């Protein structure tokens, strides 16, 4: 079968070149979008009287037939036809006859491929926002079940101050909220139509780009035809947003791995989300958490890969840009795969509340509070810090925790101490005392949960509206 661009050539393409330059093995993923774009393009050609109504009908019918063939999995994609655009066009000509050759009027593969990717990514971005919202909901459910559970809060991975476990989980809800908002914001840059830019300079046909945009549900068209075909910022932005989401997931994974170790024993991940060892019968490994943490690397790699491809590329289209696809598809697959597992993994994890509570009674994470206590008695904070530092050292040297000290011992460090210190030092009191907006005291955490629930409801509504809009 001859090439769609074969006219200028006197020789067949080298077989290895054909294989090396073809993108069909991966860009067939864009088949739906390619046909969607072509259906709108041909309709616009009819409206602009560039093609006759009869031609438009024949081409449209042909495209719908090809769509059916592809959806039924009956399409034979051919490396000789290089990419999805030419595979579809060939199939169209097979179905509709030579009139199919009129579809490409006023269009280039350069604006076509960019259009396909805009169509593809806007759907994925909405789906991913929806998956993040489900994960937030799972975290909120766990947070509500743990509004009284106290765990050690850490800095430098050293016990710092006790906090509510709910507060810790809600920190991730905040991160994912920013991720969702970044995706929502990126949507407006994705939802712009490049079609009509032609190869780079526009087209001699009197096309109506705004009409095509309207048909495809784009909010606008690219201002500049060169930019339209050379812009991949929207993909970079997606890869960057995805990297950040993976980084957030990976931090959570690391905590899950730590918390489910025998040393911490704060949580137990459900059997369904763990795997065993082929040699050590006792093992239950947090493989999902580890693998999500590991796969973060490839998503970062995809971002850096495409940034590097685009660096120093002259305007407008260059074949290098075909390298934009595999990393994008891989990122979508990796991210969606992780998110799909994460929500149920969070929902089903068991929280060892007693073990967490026990942990905070065997540390010095209440030390800041005695310092604050002395401050309320009039001692400057810096001096209070010094006094408590000495008290803690005394405890360490004598194998005691702060709550084990007698009032006599306390008074040996400062005469300002009285009976009330034993109440101040209780982890529950330490938590309750941090009653500032965004703090770990229970009323604050409950209020944060309520606000987060409003935000997730807004996201759910946005996802529903935009899923319909992005079809
Ligand atoms: N397969 C190509 C890509 O993914 C489509 C655009 C090809 N354009 C061209 N002038 N060769 O980038």
């Amino acid at each position: 079968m001859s090439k769609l661009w074969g006219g200028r050539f006197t020789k067949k393409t080298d077989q290895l070149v054909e294989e090396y330059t073809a993108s069909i093995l991966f860009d067939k993923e864009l088949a739906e979008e390619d046909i969607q774009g072509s259906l709108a393009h041909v309709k616009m050609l009819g409206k602009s009287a560039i093609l006759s109504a009869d031609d438009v009908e024949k081409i449209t019918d042909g495209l719908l037939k090809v769509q059916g063939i592809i959806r039924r999995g009956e399409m034979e994609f051919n490396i000789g036809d290089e990419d999805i655009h030419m595979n579809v066009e060939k199939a169209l000509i097979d179905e509709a006859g030579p009139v199919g050759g009129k579809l490409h009027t006023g269009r280039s593969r350069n604006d076509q491929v960019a259009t396909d990717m805009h169509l593809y990514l806007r759907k994925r971005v909405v789906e991913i926002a929806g998956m993040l919202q489900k994960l937030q909901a799972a975290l909120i459910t766990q947070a509500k079940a743990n509004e009284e559970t106290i765990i050690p809060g850490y800095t430098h991975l050293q016990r710092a101050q006790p906090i509510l476990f709910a507060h810790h989980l809600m920190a991730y809800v905040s991160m994912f909220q920013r991720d969702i908002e970044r995706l929502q914001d990126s949507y407006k840059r994705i939802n712009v139509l490049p079609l009509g830019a032609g190869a780079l300079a526009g087209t001699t046909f009197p096309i109506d780009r705004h009409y095509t945009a309207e048909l495809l549900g784009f909010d606008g068209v690219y201002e500049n035809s060169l930019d339209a075909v050379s812009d991949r910022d929207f993909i970079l932005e997606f890869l960057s947003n995805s990297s950040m989401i993976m980084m957030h997931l990976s931090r959570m994974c690391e905590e899950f791995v730590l918390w489910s170790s025998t040393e911490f024993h704060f949580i137990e991940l459900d059997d369904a989300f763990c795997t065993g060892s082929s040699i050590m019968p006792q093992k239950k490994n947090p493989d999902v958490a580890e693998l999500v943490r590991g796969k973060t690397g490839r998503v970062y790699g995809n971002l850096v890969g495409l940034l590097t491809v685009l660096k120093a590329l002259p305007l407008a289209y260059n074949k290098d840009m075909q390298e934009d696809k595999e990393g994008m598809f891989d990122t979508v697959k990796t991210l969606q795969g992780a998110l799909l597992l994460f929500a149920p993994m969070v929902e089903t994890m068991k929280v060892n509340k007693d073990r967490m509570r026990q942990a905070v009674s065997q540390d010095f994470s209440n030390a800041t509070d005695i310092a604050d206590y002395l401050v309320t008695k009039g001692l400057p904070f810096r001096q209070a810090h010094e006094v408590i530092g000495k008290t803690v050292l005394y405890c360490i040297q004598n194998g005691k925790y702060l709550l084990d000290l007698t009032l006599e011992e306390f008074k040996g460090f400062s005469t300002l101490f009285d009976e009330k210190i034993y109440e101040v030092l209780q982890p529950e009191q330490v938590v309750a005392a941090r009653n500032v907006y965004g703090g770990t005291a229970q009323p604050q955490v409950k209020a944060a949960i309520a606000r987060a629930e409003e935000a997730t409801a807004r996201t759910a509504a946005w996802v529903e509206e935009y899923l319909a809009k992005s079809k």
Side-chain angles (χ1 to χ4, degrees):
M1 234 199 269
S2 66
K3 302 270 185 222
L4 286 174
W5 43 253
R8 187 228 176 277
F9 288 77
T10 54
K11 249 182 158 178
K12 264 186 65 168
T13 318
D14 181 280
Q15 175 68 29
L16 288 174
V17 170
E18 205 161 73
E19 283 167 21
Y20 192 71
T21 56
S23 53
I24 187 61
L25 291 181
F26 48 86
D27 68 13
K28 61 183 178 200
E29 180 94 27
L30 296 170
E32 279 290 336
E33 289 76 14
D34 199 68
I35 290 175
Q36 186 184 5
S38 289
L39 285 168
H41 178 67
V42 73
K43 192 163 177 188
M44 180 279 294
L45 291 177
K47 179 176 176 272
S48 310
I50 298 165
L51 292 187
S52 71
D54 186 46
D55 286 349
V56 172
E57 199 185 316
K58 285 184 179 132
I59 294 172
T60 303
D61 287 351
L63 281 170
L64 292 173
K65 278 190 193 136
V66 177
Q67 185 180 58
I69 294 171
I70 293 174
R71 284 188 182 170
R72 291 193 300 276
E74 290 164 8
M75 177 89 166
E76 267 180 43
F77 292 107
N78 182 358
I79 285 194
D81 292 328
E82 203 175 314
D83 56 25
I84 185 62
H85 324 295
M86 292 198 293
N87 271 268
V88 169
E89 195 176 323
K90 268 275 178 70
L92 170 68
I93 294 169
D94 286 347
E95 290 301 319
V99 67
K102 295 190 179 183
L103 169 65
H104 212 50
T105 311
R107 185 176 78 172
S108 153
R109 275 188 294 157
N110 297 349
D111 54 351
Q112 186 181 359
V113 68
T115 302
D116 290 3
M117 287 194 295
H118 280 268
L119 287 169
Y120 169 87
L121 212 46
R122 72 180 187 185
K123 289 179 224 167
R124 301 293 97 82
V125 157
V126 180
E127 284 168 9
I128 291 167
M131 296 173 96
L132 284 168
Q133 184 262 330
K134 293 219 164 65
L135 174 52
Q136 284 181 313
L139 286 163
I140 290 173
T141 304
Q142 277 289 5
K144 282 173 142 177
N146 287 285
E147 279 176 351
E148 285 172 7
T149 311
I150 297 179
I151 52 161
Y154 295 82
T155 64
H156 311 265
L157 204 56
Q158 305 289 322
R159 303 260 180 99
Q161 290 169 353
I163 53 172
L164 291 183
F165 186 49
H167 193 51
H168 196 119
L169 295 175
M170 291 306 291
Y172 285 102
V173 173
S174 290
M175 295 178 217
F176 295 130
Q177 188 57 33
R178 288 195 295 276
D179 291 330
I180 289 169
E181 287 168 19
R182 266 188 286 271
L183 291 174
Q184 289 173 324
D185 188 65
S186 74
Y187 190 93
K188 57 176 185 263
R189 283 173 293 281
I190 300 174
N191 205 31
V192 181
L193 177 75
L195 206 64
L200 74 163
T203 170
T204 56
F205 294 95
I207 60 167
D208 183 347
R209 298 184 65 202
H210 292 92
Y211 180 65
T212 316
E214 198 186 309
L215 288 175
L216 290 170
F218 283 106
D219 295 323
V221 303
Y222 270 82
E223 270 300 304
N224 178 295
S225 62
L226 271 90
D227 183 44
V229 288
S230 22
D231 175 35
R232 295 295 182 268
D233 296 0
F234 66 105
I235 301 180
L236 285 175
E237 202 176 336
F238 170 71
L239 296 175
S240 157
N241 290 339
S242 301
S243 296
M244 211 143 10
I245 298 169
M246 287 300 290
M247 178 269 288
H248 290 153
L249 290 175
S250 179
R251 291 180 83 165
M252 207 197 306
C253 287
E254 173 64 14
E255 301 210 292
F256 284 2
V257 171
L258 281 174
W259 289 345
S260 59
S261 68
T262 309
E263 285 70 14
F264 277 79
H265 199 51
F266 284 173
I267 60 163
E268 187 175 347
L269 296 171
D270 195 79
D271 277 5
F273 293 91
C274 294
T275 56
S277 156
S278 59
I279 169 169
M280 297 166 283
Q282 84 283 11
K283 291 297 288 286
K284 176 172 159 184
N285 298 326
D287 280 32
V288 172
E290 293 169 80
L291 207 49
V292 170
R293 189 178 59 185
K295 282 180 188 287
T296 302
R298 64 197 289 157
V299 173
Y300 291 3
N302 292 335
L303 169 64
V304 175
L306 185 57
L307 278 169
T308 313
V309 167
L310 293 170
K311 173 184 175 295
L313 270 194
L315 300 186
Y317 179 84
N318 301 270
K319 186 73 167 179
D320 316 43
M321 289 163 74
Q322 181 168 286
E323 286 293 306
D324 60 1
K325 288 176 199 59
E326 285 160 293
M328 176 179 74
F329 295 141
D330 181 70
T331 298
V332 167
K333 196 170 144 230
T334 306
L335 189 50
Q336 292 194 332
L339 288 170
L340 207 60
L341 289 173
F342 235 91
M345 184 163 78
V346 167
E347 258 158 34
T348 54
M349 84 182 177
K350 271 220 316 275
V351 178
N352 295 333
K353 300 185 186 192
D354 294 345
R355 165 71 193 128
M356 289 175 170
R357 179 62 183 79
Q358 184 200 356
V360 283
S361 53
Q362 290 170 354
D363 65 15
F364 293 96
S365 61
N366 46 5
T368 317
D369 290 67
I370 346 179
D372 288 353
Y373 167 87
L374 292 180
V375 168
T376 61
K377 301 258 170 193
L379 200 65
F381 180 79
R382 203 40 67 207
Q383 282 180 39
H385 188 289
E386 173 76 16
V387 169
I388 308 310
K390 292 216 165 82
T391 317
V392 168
L393 182 63
Y394 171 84
C395 285
I396 294 169
Q397 286 167 344
N398 291 278
K400 294 181 172 189
Y401 294 108
L402 288 165
L403 273 169
D404 301 331
L405 297 183
T406 63
L407 194 54
E408 291 309 293
E409 284 173 302
F410 272 123
K411 282 190 185 291
F413 293 99
S414 167
T415 49
L416 295 169
F417 281 117
D418 61 31
E419 277 294 336
K420 245 199 110 210
I421 190 62
Y422 294 101
E423 198 183 309
V424 169
L425 284 179
Q426 289 301 329
E428 284 71 15
Q429 181 50 35
V430 173
V431 168
R434 283 167 175 74
N435 195 13
V436 293
Y437 190 100
T440 194
Q442 207 187 50
Q444 299 298 339
V445 174
K446 278 183 189 283
I449 290 174
R451 289 193 298 271
E453 283 183 314
E454 280 168 29
T456 58
R458 279 196 301 275
T459 304
W462 183 88
V463 168
E464 200 182 327
E465 182 190 340
Y466 278 73
L467 268 186
K469 217 176 125 165
S470 311
K471 283 238 168 80

